[in-house]
Amino acid sequence: MIIGLTGFYCSGKSTAEQYLKEDFGFYVIDMDKIGHKVHELPEVKNEIAKLFGAQSIADDGSVNRKFLGALVFSDKAQLNKLNLLMRPFIMRLLEDELQQHKNENIVISAALLFDAGLDSYCKKVLVTRASLYKIFIRAWKRDRHSFIRTWQILRNQKLKEYINQRAETVDIVFINTNGTTDQLRTRLPEVLKNEAIKR
């Protein structure tokens, strides 16, 4: 079985991912890690340099993620260019991992799961969510983000819109993460049992 895992910023997605792996034996495909692998491919680095200039490559030959991140965050057209470049390589690595682990239970973990259309691979999609208060507290503790910065990140997430769009075609399961990590670990088995997701 392939399930998806996504969630709002600072809503406990990484913790849920960890428990799915440790407690239920899911093989985790972390799309952030796949993105990092793609950035290391020589052909991708060459194209990034052509598209975004020499500053996009650091002195050690790696992608200057800080420069690139600041650039695409402030310019949607640049973000679209980067996504168009990266997508074929990301999908190739994803397909490779899915094939290698086709006999296992798999969770595709991605903040942009719906944006990238990865829900099409999934029998169900788990969505972590917490109250705004909890998110603001966690964002400050983890990233030292202010209330305003956190609100900007949440507003830029299109997750709620995608959920509304896909509700009739995708089996979406919400996971309440307002409590402690121990409470999430206790709650998760019940959620999976109710959804007939077996170990």
Side-chain angles (χ1 to χ4, degrees):
M1 176 187 286
I2 301 173
I3 64 172
L5 177 65
T6 191
F8 296 91
Y9 172 64
C10 277
S11 68
K13 181 177 72 68
S14 297
T15 305
E17 175 188 308
Q18 177 189 339
Y19 294 159
L20 285 169
K21 179 180 180 179
E22 294 177 358
D23 298 350
F24 293 89
F26 273 83
Y27 178 77
V28 175
I29 298 178
D30 186 326
M31 296 308 295
D32 281 344
K33 291 179 180 177
I34 284 186
H36 291 163
K37 287 180 183 177
V38 168
H39 274 146
E40 294 169 5
L41 298 174
E43 59 267 44
V44 171
K45 288 192 282 189
N46 289 339
E47 288 302 315
I48 285 175
K50 288 178 187 176
L51 285 173
F52 304 105
Q55 277 184 289
S56 61
I57 304 298
D59 292 339
D60 63 1
S62 64
V63 172
N64 186 340
R65 296 176 64 84
K66 188 174 181 181
F67 168 81
L68 201 58
L71 181 67
V72 301
F73 182 77
S74 60
D75 188 332
K76 193 170 182 179
Q78 298 283 39
L79 176 61
N80 289 338
K81 281 201 299 186
L82 180 62
N83 286 340
L84 282 173
L85 167 63
M86 299 274 288
R87 183 172 174 78
F89 296 97
I90 286 174
M91 297 309 293
R92 187 181 74 195
L93 291 186
L94 172 61
E95 294 280 359
D96 287 348
E97 289 223 40
L98 289 173
Q99 184 61 29
Q100 289 169 23
H101 299 274
K102 61 183 178 181
N103 296 321
E104 301 175 50
N105 284 329
I106 296 171
V107 57
I108 300 175
S109 178
L112 302 178
L113 186 93
F114 291 110
D115 309 55
L118 302 180
D119 54 297
S120 62
Y121 290 95
C122 306
K123 186 171 182 179
K124 295 177 185 287
V125 174
L126 306 183
V127 179
T128 56
R129 63 178 180 182
S131 68
L132 281 174
Y133 173 76
K134 283 288 185 181
I135 287 173
F136 289 136
I137 294 297
R138 290 169 182 169
W140 172 252
K141 286 183 177 178
R142 192 186 77 182
D143 300 328
R144 285 294 183 261
H145 282 335
S146 67
F147 173 92
I148 293 173
R149 179 73 182 98
T150 300
W151 182 246
Q152 288 173 335
I153 292 171
L154 290 171
R155 285 191 64 186
N156 284 332
Q157 278 193 298
K158 303 299 182 185
L159 184 53
K160 189 174 180 180
E161 293 173 25
Y162 281 115
I163 288 170
N164 291 336
Q165 291 170 8
R166 305 284 217 282
E168 293 184 5
T169 57
V170 180
D171 193 354
I172 297 172
V173 182
F174 292 101
I175 303 173
N176 182 328
T177 61
N178 275 324
T180 65
T181 54
D182 286 342
Q183 287 172 325
L184 174 59
R185 193 165 210 160
T186 301
R187 185 180 300 125
L188 199 53
E190 191 64 29
V191 171
L192 299 189
K193 182 181 178 183
N194 290 341
E195 296 300 321
I197 300 173
K198 298 180 180 179
R199 294 173 189 266

